[in-house]
Amino acid sequence: MRISVIGTGYVGLVAGTCLADTGHRVICVDIDEERIARLKRGELSIYEPGLEELLTRNIEEERLSFTSDTGEAVAKSLLVFLCVGTPSLENGEHDISALMGAAEHVARVMDGYRIIVNKSTGPAGTTARIAARMRELTGHEFDVVVNPEFIKEGAAVDDFLRPDRIVVGCEDVRVLEIMRELYAPFLRTGKPFLAMDLASAEMSKLAVNAMLAARISVMNEFATFCEAAGADVSHVREAVAADGRIGAGYLFPGLGFGGSCLPKDVIACAAWAEKLGLDAPLLRAAAAVNDAALRRFIGRIRSFYGEAVARKRIAIWGTTFKPRTDDLRGAPALRVIDALLGAGAAIHAYDPVAGKKLAALYGDRIRVAAKNYDALVDADGLVICTEWNEFRRPDYDRMAELMRERVIFDGRNLYTPATLEQNGFQYFSVGRG
Ligand SMILES: NC(=O)c1ccc[n+]([C@@H]2O[C@H](COP(=O)([O-])OP(=O)(O)OC[C@H]3O[C@@H](n4cnc5c(N)ncnc54)[C@H](O)[C@@H]3O)[C@@H](O)[C@H]2O)c1
């Protein structure tokens, strides 16, 4: 099939590349011309494990190409995927203006029948609104499909190639068969293809994110209880995760969830509920507990140093919102850095892949280390914000030698408190007595 993908961010680039890998001819479009120029040279615009090899192969085999010309791409495609960002408006709702803009552009350049597949996240009714607006702009026939994306950054290629399920909201049986055929190569292990109406498909995405956010927030609430009651949330988590009714994912307590999806989708859903005259107490609570977890973590660092924080040099390990991505959007580390900078501390940060982005974001307000131990030189404390693998078993002797004060604030519970104590560190983690 001939496919165009509008938006080459984390979702569009992964979707376009993986679809090309099953034999389709895919043209990816972006309004960011620099991004397109880099992609044409085979240079990734994002860090995503496994993507580069797939991208290069599919460019070489002429199944995958890039353009900033929406008209050129749409002219050659039956299916047009919309994968543009839907960030938060000031009131918390999804800002679907870029998505609507992309759809309007497609409508203006369409020269015949097209299937418009919306992968961007928005409230139920978004795709119906897109269809209504497109009908105002074009006389050509088209169908719309909702196909929410459930990939996780850091494992996005694997998630796309081996999804837990495919959700398709669609009103036309022939279009549904086309979507079924498109996804058949990814569902050979028997995972379900779930067909439903447009609004239910949109709602499914929001419900999944709400559920994941709530799980983390429940564990963060228990982390607070554990601290007060002298219990260890790591043991509690293991007991909870072993329950077959619950499972192990998204139960790790810490400094809270971040990223470009969970926080904004939970808040947007709550704001949208309010607009509908409904209450969404659980969603609001999930967001509030998450915010409180981060504030508690920052508060612990601040109260440890007191006013003297202004004379301290603090090392940060990990700045992305999760490991195996370079995405800094909504990363808790940025709030930690901002709070410590605001209190006058000097920051020396290290991240395995986001160093350049971090330097671009903060300029000379922070120092960005090229290697993890470099960040520790003369540090008065280390704050761990992301659980990159390389931080899990560090050389404690080397750390102790490099640091001025042996203090670690661990937002991801990577270490055993007794081990750190034996190595002469003051160690603060989350929810452990
Ligand atoms: N990032 C994730 O892990 C993830 C997972 C599931 C769903 N989603 C949802 O998917 C959508 C896209 O997310 P993302 O993280 O890929 O966003 P992103 O910001 O990484 O990428 C969006 C891209 O769209 C481009 N764009 C904007 N307007 C355009 C237009 N008119 N024409 C062509 N390109 C245009 C931007 O330049 C950008 O490159 C969002 O709704 C998000 O909530 C994201």
Side-chain angles (χ1 to χ4, degrees):
M1 267 183 266
R2 293 190 170 234
I3 299 169
S4 49
V5 175
I6 315 290
T8 62
Y10 291 86
V11 168
L13 196 57
V14 170
T17 306
C18 292
L19 288 169
D21 204 51
T22 54
H24 302 294
R25 290 280 289 274
V26 179
I27 309 179
C28 291
V29 187
D30 208 289
I31 44 173
D32 182 339
E33 295 194 3
E34 196 192 316
R35 179 170 283 207
I36 289 298
R38 287 183 58 190
L39 286 166
K40 278 183 174 172
R41 296 194 297 269
E43 292 171 22
L44 273 189
S45 48
I46 55 169
Y47 174 84
E48 188 57 53
L51 186 57
E52 190 165 5
E53 187 202 331
L54 223 55
L55 183 98
T56 309
R57 189 168 68 228
N58 283 285
I59 293 174
E60 279 170 10
E61 294 182 8
E62 296 177 0
R63 288 189 296 261
L64 182 62
S65 60
F66 299 93
T67 180
S68 48
D69 183 344
T70 306
E72 177 200 330
V74 171
K76 293 178 183 160
S77 312
L78 170 65
L79 286 110
V80 180
F81 279 75
L82 301 176
C83 303
V84 309
T86 47
S88 301
L89 288 169
E90 217 143 80
N91 67 2
E93 286 178 46
H94 284 114
D95 179 356
I96 61 163
S97 57
L99 174 63
M100 203 54 93
E104 286 170 356
H105 197 163
V106 172
R108 288 198 179 94
V109 296
M110 267 166 52
D111 55 1
Y113 174 76
R114 296 291 182 276
I115 299 170
I116 313 298
V117 185
N118 180 24
K119 266 199 172 303
S120 296
T121 308
T126 300
T127 309
R129 275 178 67 187
I130 287 174
R133 179 68 185 131
M134 287 182 68
R135 252 174 236 118
E136 290 170 5
L137 299 173
T138 179
H140 295 292
E141 292 284 309
F142 64 91
D143 279 293
V144 288
V145 172
V146 178
N147 176 214
E149 187 48 72
F150 298 99
I151 54 171
K152 304 180 290 296
E153 286 177 27
V157 171
D158 206 46
D159 286 348
F160 197 96
L161 297 177
R162 279 171 283 276
D164 288 337
R165 74 334 219 151
I166 294 296
V167 170
V168 170
C170 178
E171 281 158 1
D172 185 287
V173 284
R174 285 162 308 175
V175 174
L176 192 60
E177 285 317 302
I178 291 174
M179 293 302 291
R180 211 185 282 279
E181 176 64 20
L182 186 75
Y183 277 110
F186 306 106
L187 295 172
R188 285 172 302 131
T189 52
K191 293 292 166 84
F193 178 95
L194 303 173
M196 55 188 80
D197 59 279
L198 300 178
S200 301
E202 288 168 323
M203 199 64 107
S204 302
K205 172 66 189 170
L206 297 174
V208 166
N209 277 358
M211 185 67 80
L212 297 174
R215 285 170 70 99
I216 297 172
S217 281
V218 168
M219 289 314 294
N220 273 329
E221 194 151 297
F222 270 88
T224 313
F225 294 166
C226 285
E227 282 177 22
D232 184 335
V233 76
S234 307
H235 297 316
V236 176
R237 183 189 59 76
E238 283 170 0
V240 172
D243 192 313
R245 295 167 299 180
I246 298 172
Y250 288 75
L251 289 182
F252 286 86
L255 45 63
F257 56 78
S260 67
C261 290
L262 247 52
K264 70 129 171 136
D265 289 344
V266 169
I267 300 265
C269 213
W272 175 48
E274 206 164 279
K275 208 171 169 185
L276 296 175
L278 302 169
D279 204 5
L282 204 55
L283 296 178
R284 295 232 176 259
V289 169
N290 194 53
D291 190 54
L294 184 53
R295 279 189 285 108
R296 272 169 62 78
F297 184 72
I298 293 170
R300 181 164 296 158
I301 305 170
R302 293 289 312 273
S303 65
F304 177 84
Y305 293 109
E307 292 302 315
V309 72
R311 296 186 297 281
K312 300 294 177 184
R313 176 179 299 194
I314 309 292
I316 310 278
W317 271 5
T319 57
T320 51
F321 82 97
K322 59 163 20 183
R324 294 162 65 83
T325 180
D326 62 344
D327 199 346
L328 291 172
R329 293 178 292 182
L334 303 189
R335 266 180 65 193
V336 173
I337 292 173
D338 291 344
L340 293 174
L341 281 178
I347 299 292
H348 204 168
Y350 168 76
D351 189 279
V353 300
K356 269 191 192 158
K357 278 191 173 180
L358 201 60
L361 199 61
Y362 283 97
D364 57 8
R365 290 190 297 138
I366 68 169
R367 283 175 63 199
V368 177
K371 296 180 189 158
N372 59 351
Y373 290 100
D374 290 354
L376 302 182
V377 176
D378 293 333
D380 298 297
L382 165 65
V383 182
I384 298 175
C385 294
T386 317
E387 67 277 31
W388 285 93
N389 258 345
E390 65 185 87
F391 304 147
R392 287 184 187 274
R393 291 293 174 268
D395 178 342
Y396 299 123
D397 291 338
R398 191 170 168 197
M399 292 170 80
E401 243 167 62
L402 293 171
M403 292 174 72
R404 201 153 46 197
E405 269 185 84
R406 297 174 187 181
V407 189
I408 298 179
F409 302 92
D410 179 358
R412 300 294 178 180
N413 287 2
L414 298 188
Y415 312 129
T416 312
T419 311
L420 270 283
E421 227 168 82
Q422 280 160 19
N423 282 277
F425 285 90
Q426 280 184 277
Y427 178 60
F428 301 92
S429 53
V430 179
R432 300 199 282 184

